[in-house]
Amino acid sequence: MTNFPVINFKKLNGEERKDTMEKIKDACENWGFFELVNHGISHDLMDTVERLTKEHYRKCMEERFKELLASKGLEAVQTEVKDMDWESTFHLRHLPESNISEIPDLIDEYRKVMKEFALEIEKLAEQLLDLLCENLGLEKGYLKKAFYGSRGPTFGTKVANYPPCPNPELVKGLRSHTDAGGIILLFQDDKVSGLQLLKDGQWIDVPPLRHSIVVNIGDQLEVITNGKYKSVEHRVIAQTDGTRMSIASFFNPGSDAVIYPAPELLEKEAEEKSQLYPKFVFEDYMKLYAKLKFHAKEPRFEAFKASNLGPIATV
């Protein structure tokens, strides 16, 4: 098995740009995931985000998680659990408007730092989308424009902690799924592992590298690229020791954005035959995804093929 793709972002600025772009292309086509180092986000900022996230979990969320387990009779986990995940989470929204000021129990320093971190992640997400455009032969800005609804893209962060689990073989930290949205950027714990992706029928560990950002392709990019880039099933394995931090930021289409394969990527002579994916409104997809998150993605796409919005207008 070839090694999990790790991309040195700094090399895009030098003589190795062509090779680095090729590595990104290969990762998008064959893995659906890659890990970025030297991505430009301050290590000091990342260290502060990590420290405050772990402090917040210990002070405000750890006891609640234990109470939740007790209420469900799951402290010991004796039989397989298929209807919940062994995780403690809260969600931040950044675009189209922020809800950080509304989240209870966050100290002011944490709110300020998470706003700053979100701006850096947003900037990196936009850079990555343009690099994907370059590799796909699309006009610069195409993917960002495709994500724009009437109010621009949606962008939010899931802050999760995966506490130690007494019987990890009986419950997942997070059950297997693909991500519904556009492009996902993850800042994960560098000491406690657990994230795995499915490749060629095997579960592969995503290595926890210090100060890295893990990037993965969501369902919407699979549709826009007409399957050239594919979203990939992934999961989190619960661990017996240590609490794993995960800060996943989702740069997604606007709720009313209409998603469809980029006409430039379809074969010109037989567009109908070569269009493998449907056309739909992102919000409608999310409603279906909410019901079917932990199921295969293909039936979600098929459901929209049956109610396709109509022909794609070529520019």
Side-chain angles (χ1 to χ4, degrees):
M1 175 67 70
T2 51
N3 291 333
F4 183 86
V6 177
I7 311 290
N8 186 341
F9 209 58
K10 194 182 282 187
K11 290 186 176 179
L12 286 167
N13 298 320
E15 293 176 0
E16 295 180 70
R17 177 182 170 82
K18 185 178 177 183
D19 287 347
T20 305
M21 288 297 288
E22 190 59 37
K23 285 179 182 175
I24 293 173
K25 179 173 179 283
D26 180 74
C28 290
E29 290 181 354
N30 297 308
W31 289 80
F33 269 78
F34 55 92
E35 198 154 4
L36 285 182
V37 296
N38 295 320
H39 40 65
I41 299 177
S42 155
H43 289 181
D44 286 344
L45 175 60
M46 295 179 82
D47 289 343
T48 304
V49 167
E50 181 173 358
R51 174 177 61 82
L52 292 173
T53 297
K54 291 181 175 180
E55 283 178 9
H56 176 263
Y57 173 72
R58 286 193 297 270
K59 289 178 182 175
C60 302
M61 301 186 73
E62 188 170 26
E63 195 56 41
R64 284 181 212 159
F65 184 73
K66 290 175 181 174
E67 289 169 3
L68 173 67
L69 294 181
S71 72
K72 293 177 176 285
L74 290 174
E75 303 101 311
V77 195
Q78 300 299 326
T79 57
E80 188 173 4
V81 179
K82 294 184 177 179
D83 61 349
M84 71 166 278
D85 303 303
W86 198 269
E87 63 173 0
S88 172
T89 67
F90 67 93
H91 294 80
L92 302 174
R93 187 177 65 246
H94 313 299
L95 295 174
E97 65 277 312
S98 172
N99 72 343
I100 291 183
S101 63
E102 301 162 21
I103 305 295
D105 303 326
L106 302 185
I107 61 172
D108 288 344
E109 183 189 8
Y110 193 23
R111 291 183 207 275
K112 178 174 176 289
V113 163
M114 288 305 282
K115 279 185 181 178
E116 187 181 345
F117 183 65
L119 286 172
E120 293 294 318
I121 289 288
E122 180 187 355
K123 187 166 68 176
L124 182 57
E126 291 182 346
Q127 284 180 282
L128 286 166
L129 288 177
D130 276 343
L131 293 173
L132 267 53
C133 282
E134 187 176 335
N135 270 339
L136 289 162
L138 295 172
E139 177 188 0
K140 184 178 180 180
Y142 181 92
L143 290 172
K144 187 179 173 186
K145 194 189 298 182
F147 282 16
Y148 260 64
S150 58
R151 302 175 67 202
T154 52
F155 175 45
T157 299
K158 174 187 173 184
V159 181
N161 283 274
Y162 297 90
C165 178
N167 291 298
E169 69 280 1
L170 296 177
V171 60
K172 296 290 183 291
L174 180 59
R175 287 162 286 169
S176 174
H177 64 289
T178 64
D179 287 328
I183 191 167
I184 300 87
L185 288 79
L186 168 69
F187 173 26
Q188 67 168 344
D189 205 294
D190 67 317
K191 295 180 180 66
V192 183
S193 62
L195 178 62
Q196 297 182 327
L197 64 91
L198 189 63
K199 179 170 171 57
D200 302 328
Q202 292 186 318
W203 287 104
I204 308 293
D205 291 327
V206 176
L209 299 178
R210 186 155 175 75
H211 296 136
S212 70
I213 296 290
V214 177
V215 179
N216 71 284
I217 301 294
D219 293 350
Q220 306 311 303
L221 280 182
E222 177 167 339
V223 172
I224 294 170
T225 66
N226 201 40
K228 194 170 178 65
Y229 297 167
K230 285 188 169 62
S231 60
V232 169
E233 274 189 60
H234 52 285
R235 67 184 185 182
V236 176
I237 297 298
Q239 306 287 353
T240 52
D241 298 309
T243 296
R244 175 179 175 268
M245 179 199 77
S246 164
I247 301 173
S249 296
F250 300 81
F251 195 85
N252 293 344
S255 60
D256 61 352
V258 178
I259 303 301
Y260 52 87
E264 293 87 341
L265 299 181
L266 303 177
E267 293 171 13
K268 301 299 180 189
E269 69 278 7
E271 286 194 356
E272 279 186 32
K273 285 184 182 175
S274 66
Q275 185 190 331
L276 303 176
Y277 292 83
K279 183 179 185 182
F280 52 78
V281 175
F282 178 61
E283 186 175 34
D284 293 338
Y285 187 87
M286 289 305 293
K287 287 174 183 172
L288 184 62
Y289 181 84
K291 300 174 192 170
L292 301 172
K293 175 176 179 177
F294 299 110
H295 294 73
K297 63 187 172 182
E298 288 80 9
R300 299 196 290 265
F301 295 145
E302 290 300 322
F304 283 105
K305 278 186 183 177
S307 58
N308 210 319
L309 288 180
I312 296 171
T314 51
V315 184

